[in-house]
Amino acid sequence: MTDQPASTANQMWGGRFAAGPDAIMEAINASIGFDQRLHAQDIQGSRAHAAMLAAQGIISTNDADAIREGLLTVLSEIEAGGFPFSTALEDIHMNVESRLKEIIGEPAGRLHTARSRNDQVATDFRLWVRDQCDATIDGLQALIRAALSQAEQGADWVMPGFTHLQTAQPVTWGHHMMAYVEMFGRDLSRMRDARKRMNESPLGAAALAGTGFPIDRHATAQALGFDRPMANSLDAVSDRDFALEFLSSAAICAVHLSRLAEELVIWSSAQFRFVTMSDRFSTGSSIMPQKKNPDAAELIRAKIGRILGAAVALFVVMKGLPLAYSKDMQEDKEQVFDAADNLMLALAAMTGMLSDLTANRDRLEAAAGSGFSTATDLADWLVREAGLPFRDAHHVTGTLVAMAEKDGIDLPELTLDQMQSVNPDITADVFTVLGVHNSVASRTSYGGTAPSQVRAQIARWNDIIASEEWA
């Protein structure tokens, strides 16, 4: 990075300041170290602005053509990695404009007509976050497909369902995977909603009050792919709801990723052995040769801290700001950049893990009947067939569980005589509901774990994926 002297910055600022900034002030004020990531969006917005100025007769066509070609040259220089970013020029906007002036001369000074860095940065940042929403949507779609593939493979594979991490009732592997499909589906919906709301253009709001030049904000909005210009100039330059909403949606998504990562960590342990992680997403130990560590899942689990922290940090930045723009808002970008980077990495890693994951069907089934997982089926049978009130059926079932636990056996291993010693109305028919396969097959209520219901939900999601709304 090449720093230009303070006098260069003074030229950009104009005649208001006679002395150059103190080194500490320059260091705290400069944002080029991170906002250079906005270079493509900054140049995109400037090209749209220049074209509109020419169309409105505010600048000449020749000047607009020179600006357009000069900006393309700047873009190519940045993308080639040889652009001399300067902290003395503070930010991406002034770095681009300064280089543009070196390339095309006087016409560069006309580019900033009828705009301010306030609406410029609001536009650049909004464009960047919108692009990130699109990338996140693509990532979520890939992850949903991976989870759906797991569900299709194991729609009727029985496994224990848990509450409090204690065996509760048998479910199916497909049903468990479809729970995450639903979670990630909501994340997808939130990202799409956030994108829709943010798709308004701040450009043309200028510093805070609009401009007296006869600009066409609808034209620049259309050129940049926005649905419309923002309706209030104060709001346009001071709003960061779009960034807050992206971070909020990202944080919820990260929570879902973390919950699944936690389960993969538990399930891949020697104590569970429910799943086998691929070598591509595992690591070994430097001292214990037998180890296969689920490091990718553990790192995903940790990402929530950074993403949630970014959301909290930006909420704190914005909470006390009066209208319109304040320099505090310079602290918005690093938080969003970091959260976006980590969310995309976590999405890609989880998609890879699920795609490569092997669910151990035999181990899942062996564990499905543990912990008296069909006790609720017994209680339901007593209500349905023996006519007991549920609370009485619950008490009878609890007594039978205690009896089986004392003998070191499971409920289906109790004899009919043992069961009838607790309640004489129990018949041999009760054994038809005590097997785990019978249990899951009976859960046919909408959204239940019965394989028929799981396959119906898989079919619904396949229809969603095939629809125009998915694209």
Side-chain angles (χ1 to χ4, degrees), residues 201-221:
S201 174
L203 192 57
L208 75 162
T211 178
F213 288 96
I215 62 172
D216 185 349
R217 293 190 62 210
H218 289 85
T220 50

Side-chain angles (χ1 to χ4, degrees), residues 32-312:
I32 190 59
F34 52 86
D35 71 12
Q36 59 186 263
R37 289 185 67 166
L38 300 176
H39 69 269
Q41 290 79 17
D42 190 72
I43 290 170
Q44 181 186 6
S46 290
R47 291 181 65 197
H49 184 67
M52 179 277 295
L53 291 176
Q56 294 298 106
I58 299 171
I59 66 173
S60 70
T61 300
N62 288 340
D63 283 349
D65 290 343
I67 290 170
R68 180 183 65 251
E69 294 305 316
L71 287 170
L72 290 176
T73 300
V74 174
L75 180 61
S76 66
E77 290 177 351
I78 295 174
E79 292 181 343
F83 189 88
F85 291 112
S86 168
T87 55
L89 292 170
E90 297 184 18
D91 56 33
I92 186 62
H93 323 298
M94 294 177 76
N95 270 265
V96 168
E97 187 176 334
S98 176
R99 179 61 182 138
L100 181 65
K101 185 175 181 180
E102 292 174 354
I103 295 169
I104 68 171
E106 188 220 13
R110 305 188 191 283
L111 174 59
H112 210 53
T113 306
R115 76 173 183 186
S116 162
R117 283 196 300 176
N118 293 356
D119 63 333
Q120 189 178 358
V121 69
T123 302
D124 294 357
F125 195 28
R126 194 175 287 252
L127 286 170
W128 193 93
V129 175
R130 188 181 70 181
D131 289 345
Q132 201 60 43
C133 282
D134 291 338
T136 305
I137 287 167
D138 289 343
L140 281 165
Q141 288 177 331
L143 179 55
I144 287 169
R145 289 190 182 98
L148 196 62
S149 178
Q150 284 285 347
E152 288 175 325
Q153 177 182 335
D156 58 356
W157 296 3
V158 292
M159 67 174 288
F162 299 94
T163 60
H164 310 279
L165 203 57
Q166 306 292 315
T167 300
Q169 294 176 263
V171 296
T172 63
W173 174 257
H175 192 55
H176 202 110
M177 287 295 102
M178 288 304 294
Y180 284 104
V181 170
E182 293 295 327
M183 291 185 212
F184 297 132
R186 291 193 296 273
D187 294 326
L188 181 64
S189 177
R190 272 185 285 272
M191 278 294 169
R192 283 177 167 157
D193 287 348
R195 190 199 191 283
K196 183 177 181 180
R197 266 184 294 278
M198 74 177 60
N199 204 35
E200 296 182 340
S201 174
L203 192 57
L208 75 162
T211 178
F213 288 96
I215 62 172
D216 185 349
R217 293 190 62 210
H218 289 85
T220 50
Q222 183 178 18
L224 295 171
F226 290 114
D227 294 329
R228 64 192 69 84
M230 295 183 73
N232 184 283
S233 61
L234 286 168
D235 181 46
V237 298
S238 63
D239 170 54
R240 293 298 183 269
D241 287 1
F242 64 93
L244 290 169
E245 191 165 5
F246 170 76
L247 289 176
S248 298
S249 300
I252 296 172
C253 179
V255 168
H256 295 155
L257 288 166
S258 182
R259 295 182 73 180
L260 178 52
E262 169 72 1
E263 293 200 312
L264 294 180
V265 170
I266 294 170
W267 291 347
S268 63
S269 68
Q271 289 71 28
F272 275 75
R273 292 182 286 116
F274 284 3
V275 301
T276 301
M277 308 282 281
S278 77
D279 291 347
R280 293 200 313 146
F281 294 95
S282 305
T283 64
S285 166
S286 63
I287 191 172
M288 295 169 285
Q290 83 281 10
K291 293 292 294 297
K292 186 176 182 180
N293 299 325
D295 282 8
E298 291 171 350
L299 289 167
I300 289 172
R301 189 173 59 185
K303 294 295 183 186
I304 178 60
R306 294 177 68 162
I307 296 170
L308 182 58
V312 172

